Amino acid sequence: MRFLLPLLLLPLLVHAQPTPVPDAPQAVLVIHGGAGTIRRDLLDDATEAAIRAALTTALQTGYAEIQRGASALDAVTTTITVLEDSPHFNAGRGAVFTADGYAELDASIMDGATGEAGAVSGVRHVKNPILLAQKVMTGSPHVLLSGEGAEEFALLSGLEFVPNQYFHTDARREALDRVLQRQREQQRSEQGAAPEQAVPEWQLEHPNPWQMTGTVGAVALDQTGNLAAGTSTGGMTAKRYGRIGDSPIIGAGTYADATVGVSSTGHGEYFIRNVTAFDIAARMRYLDEPLTDAADAVIHETLTASGGTGGVITLGADGTVAMPFNTPGMYRGYIDAEGNVTVQIYSDE
Ligand code: ASP
């Protein structure tokens, strides 16, 4: 008995004393609003201020949920709903256009406590796709629903519908026009024809941030110590043929288990091929790597070596935050247990 008692108490002691990682920020909620060519010289002051304000509001809204004792899952959906309703991000209102001129939305969510997940792709009329992803998880035996079927399920679930025009903004329309023009010029030059209209040099060099960025994501840690993660997007400007990116793919765009939650943003095809979100959790589980090392390796080594661009937000069950990205900027932020907000955009912040 003298030897048995300490042994029996060991799991309790280990559980009660998570090892905080020195220097890594601590949080209960982490968000992103997309990664890409976000540079000071390409973002005007008013837009930058509006984006910082929207990220702050989303963090504070989700934080209030967590403080009320809501689950990490509900905090994630509430937070992402705020970002979907803002025209500044490529999710919900403000989503990019397909080549045919529609907004076509993808979203996913995962509960780290249960390992359950839900996702939707290609929906055109559901006001908040993240709420539909949550319904798929909680109210259906499936994980991923697409297109008309997903909308039929949304109707049965009583979710709010909007006309596709609700999602449209002038900035995204201009971005579509520019991408289509560039594609036409590329085709003409491949055929040896003279350019119809020259694409300005700066546009080739620095695609407008509106064109590339704005996917949103959140990872929350609730008062019971559970994690959840979610992601929502309009995908890529001028996408065709029902293209689906990483955002609704569990393991690529979103992942959560008992130790870590991840939401990705960037060039989706690379995140799918690299199974980016799961790879971070796998490195922690199988290699015993700390969260910050695992997240850095997956973005700065694996993703970068494969030619992919983008980033992730990650939150550990001990509150550790890591938000690596390999693009000039990523809209991102976190809020700690005391309600202190940090919002960052550029890589030197
Ligand atoms: N990952 C998204 C997609 O490929 C886009 C983004 O995050 O900017 O659909």
Side-chain angles (χ1 to χ4, degrees):
M1 194 60 197
R2 200 149 54 93
F3 297 109
L4 199 58
L5 196 62
L7 271 183
L8 287 173
L9 286 175
L10 196 63
L12 287 177
L13 287 174
V14 169
H15 188 73
Q17 292 171 354
T19 337
V21 179
D23 301 323
Q26 299 282 301
V28 293
L29 177 63
V30 191
I31 61 173
H32 71 78
T37 310
I38 311 169
R39 297 169 21 158
R40 284 192 177 81
D41 55 330
L42 299 173
L43 202 59
D44 66 78
D45 291 350
T47 308
E48 180 180 327
I51 287 170
R52 286 187 192 270
L55 292 170
T56 303
T57 304
L59 283 168
Q60 286 168 338
T61 309
Y63 177 77
E65 281 273 289
I66 294 168
Q67 289 298 99
R68 272 199 294 274
S71 65
L73 200 71
D74 285 341
V76 163
T77 47
T78 303
T79 307
I80 291 185
T81 300
V82 173
L83 296 167
E84 286 178 339
D85 291 347
S86 163
H88 294 292
F89 302 101
N90 173 19
R93 196 160 163 251
V96 299
F97 285 92
T98 63
D100 297 337
Y102 291 99
E104 237 173 50
L105 310 167
D106 304 332
S108 66
I109 193 158
M110 185 162 190
D111 185 356
T114 60
E116 291 186 347
V120 291
S121 78
V123 296
R124 290 185 174 185
H125 306 99
V126 178
K127 183 169 176 255
N128 292 108
I130 194 67
L131 297 180
L132 181 55
Q134 189 180 18
K135 284 278 182 200
V136 172
M137 182 188 129
T138 57
S140 90
H142 309 300
V143 171
L144 175 57
L145 300 182
S146 71
E148 283 175 18
E151 297 208 327
E152 190 184 332
F153 180 68
L155 202 63
L156 293 172
S157 304
L159 290 184
E160 189 176 348
F161 274 61
V162 289
N164 198 259
Q165 288 86 327
Y166 161 83
F167 301 111
H168 300 182
T169 58
D170 290 346
R172 298 299 189 190
R173 171 76 66 189
E174 284 160 24
L176 174 65
D177 291 345
R178 275 198 303 271
V179 173
L180 292 180
Q181 185 207 339
R182 206 152 57 205
Q183 287 175 353
R184 274 195 304 272
E185 294 303 348
Q186 204 169 349
Q187 225 169 15
R188 287 176 68 85
S189 94
E190 275 163 19
Q191 290 159 358
E196 193 176 79
Q197 195 184 346
V199 180
E201 198 60 34
W202 72 268
Q203 257 189 41
L204 289 175
E205 228 185 295
H206 313 297
N208 189 300
W210 280 106
Q211 178 191 319
M212 307 293 288
T213 58
T215 292
V216 306
V219 187
L221 174 62
D222 65 28
Q223 288 181 9
T224 66
N226 289 332
L227 290 159
T231 310
S232 181
T233 190
M236 284 179 124
T237 302
K239 63 186 181 181
R240 289 181 163 86
Y241 318 122
R243 180 263 185 190
I244 299 169
D246 60 311
S247 305
I249 308 295
I250 296 300
T254 298
Y255 190 75
D257 61 16
T259 351
V260 65
V262 184
S263 171
S264 311
T265 173
H267 196 152
E269 281 69 6
Y270 292 86
F271 283 74
I272 294 174
R273 285 191 287 255
N274 288 309
V275 203
T276 300
F278 177 71
D279 198 21
I280 294 171
R283 290 184 78 110
M284 292 175 72
R285 196 182 304 172
Y286 304 133
L287 299 178
D288 214 16
E289 282 187 349
L291 167 55
T292 43
D293 292 359
D296 276 348
V298 166
I299 295 303
H300 295 300
E301 292 169 25
T302 314
L303 180 74
T304 304
S306 71
T309 52
V312 287
I313 52 162
T314 63
L315 178 62
D318 63 355
T320 300
V321 177
M323 307 184 288
F325 54 97
N326 68 1
T327 46
M330 180 166 83
Y331 301 123
R332 62 201 187 278
Y334 57 89
I335 188 162
D336 69 16
E338 280 76 49
N340 301 306
V341 171
T342 301
V343 165
Q344 297 166 335
I345 296 183
Y346 309 105
S347 54
D348 57 6
E349 284 183 82

